[in-house]
Amino acid sequence: MSGFTTRFAPSPTGYLHRGHAFSALTAHQAALEAQGRFLLRVEDIDRTRSRPEFEASILEDLAWLGLTWEAPVRRQSEHMAHYAAALEQLAGRGVIYRCFRTRREVADAIASAPHGPMEAFTGAPLPADEEARRIAAGEGFAWRLSLSAAEAALGGFGDLWFLETGAGPAGEAGAIVARPQVGGDVVLARKDVGVAYHLAVVVDDALQGVTHVIRGHDLFEAAHVQRLLQALLQLPTPTYRHHGLLTGPDGRRYAKRDQAETLRALRERGVTAEDLRRDLGF
């Protein structure tokens, strides 16, 4: 077995569809060709939308497709201590801060930014006395990554890059200079939720020994901020391979709202796993 390790990491917030099948098959085939490892990770940190029945369906759908994976399956909800430790490490480096703005306030701040609504949000910690008062009052907050503090801690972002062996949305490939600025001061955790996507993914990939991240190019921009977190936490950087997204007859990419194209619905219509694999190019 080679040192190649990749993963498929769905969220149990709905049923899998054709697009998920394509991504899972792409990663699984890459692992087979490299004589490496294929892992399944359930990203269930969204406690309000994750459902046991969706997780059960994920396992059923992937087995129906003919995929195999190592046991046990890693469930993010069972590893919150790992994410808390990473957050504490970032706090120790002084690169995160409490943000008390609501989502609406953040959206308003972005809309009123000097360069227009496409600018990412950046903020700063509150004065110590005001922060203490709001914490004492029980106000909600998010832990945000401070781009300015992170840049200072690393002595700049110039040495940050990652290898792209697939292609980003605009055909980006090869050695990509990381641009963490595209995400702004991203949320890493919330008061009521122990961790957010970027931090959990970076920690999981490192702990699971993932060497190759294979996923849709809708997550290409995420690689930029994830590369920054890897540097701050002194974690290895995997090789990235982003692929195109499947679209339906209307030209829109498949989403969990497309109930007619879920794998469950396809099976009910008599589509076999062999039919679907062939249709997807496998």
Side-chain angles (χ1 to χ4, degrees):
M1 181 176 288
S2 71
F4 183 105
T5 302
T6 192
R7 44 64 165 184
F8 178 60
S11 299
T13 56
Y15 295 115
L16 298 187
H17 52 63
R18 282 178 178 266
H20 291 119
F22 179 79
S23 192
L25 287 165
T26 299
H28 190 262
Q29 180 168 292
L32 290 177
E33 291 174 349
Q35 296 184 319
R37 303 166 62 212
F38 175 77
L39 309 177
L40 174 62
R41 183 167 74 223
V42 177
E43 298 192 340
D44 60 347
I45 53 174
D46 186 342
R47 299 173 185 173
T48 61
R49 297 172 59 215
S50 295
R51 297 284 186 273
E53 59 268 28
F54 292 144
E55 180 179 337
S57 179
I58 287 170
L59 301 179
E60 180 183 355
D61 288 341
L62 296 180
W64 172 72
L65 279 172
L67 274 59
T68 57
W69 53 88
E70 293 186 11
V73 172
R74 182 178 176 91
R75 294 174 180 81
Q76 289 183 330
S77 59
E78 298 172 352
H79 299 278
M80 302 304 288
H82 289 151
Y83 314 132
L87 195 67
E88 185 176 350
Q89 186 177 342
L90 294 172
R93 299 199 66 174
V95 297
I96 61 174
Y97 63 93
R98 292 183 180 90
C99 177
F100 291 85
R101 292 179 187 247
T102 64
R103 288 183 174 87
R104 171 57 65 85
E105 289 170 340
V106 169
D108 290 344
I110 293 173
S112 63
H115 302 293
M118 295 304 292
E119 185 168 308
F121 174 79
T122 56
L126 294 174
D129 56 345
E130 183 179 353
E131 182 177 274
R133 176 184 62 79
R134 299 182 76 159
I135 291 173
E139 294 188 32
F141 63 83
W143 285 107
R144 287 187 180 271
L145 175 65
S146 170
L147 279 179
S148 59
E151 188 171 16
L154 295 175
F157 296 149
D159 292 333
L160 297 183
W161 64 279
F162 59 91
L163 180 62
E164 174 61 58
T165 61
E172 302 94 333
I176 306 293
V177 176
R179 296 178 292 108
Q181 301 90 337
V182 300
D185 288 1
V186 297
V187 172
L188 298 182
R190 296 188 184 278
K191 178 185 176 183
D192 55 343
V193 178
V195 67
Y197 168 73
H198 289 297
L199 183 59
V201 165
V202 164
V203 170
D204 286 340
D205 284 342
L207 289 177
Q208 292 189 284
V210 172
T211 62
H212 290 72
V213 172
I214 300 172
R215 61 191 183 188
H217 67 207
D218 55 323
L219 290 171
F220 178 78
E221 298 296 342
H224 293 274
V225 67
Q226 289 167 13
R227 179 64 187 91
L228 173 57
L229 287 172
Q230 290 155 5
L232 291 169
L233 293 168
Q234 298 180 306
L235 300 176
T237 300
T239 295
Y240 289 88
R241 176 181 164 186
H242 293 88
H243 58 72
L245 304 176
L246 297 189
T247 58
D250 59 359
R252 299 171 63 189
R253 69 184 181 93
Y254 290 114
K256 288 178 179 176
R257 63 177 175 272
D258 300 316
Q259 295 299 312
E261 294 299 336
T262 66
L263 303 190
R264 290 167 59 91
L266 293 177
R267 285 203 303 276
E268 291 172 357
R269 295 210 306 266
V271 175
T272 68
E274 291 73 18
D275 292 336
L276 181 58
R277 291 170 68 105
R278 189 182 312 109
D279 187 45
L280 296 177
F282 297 90

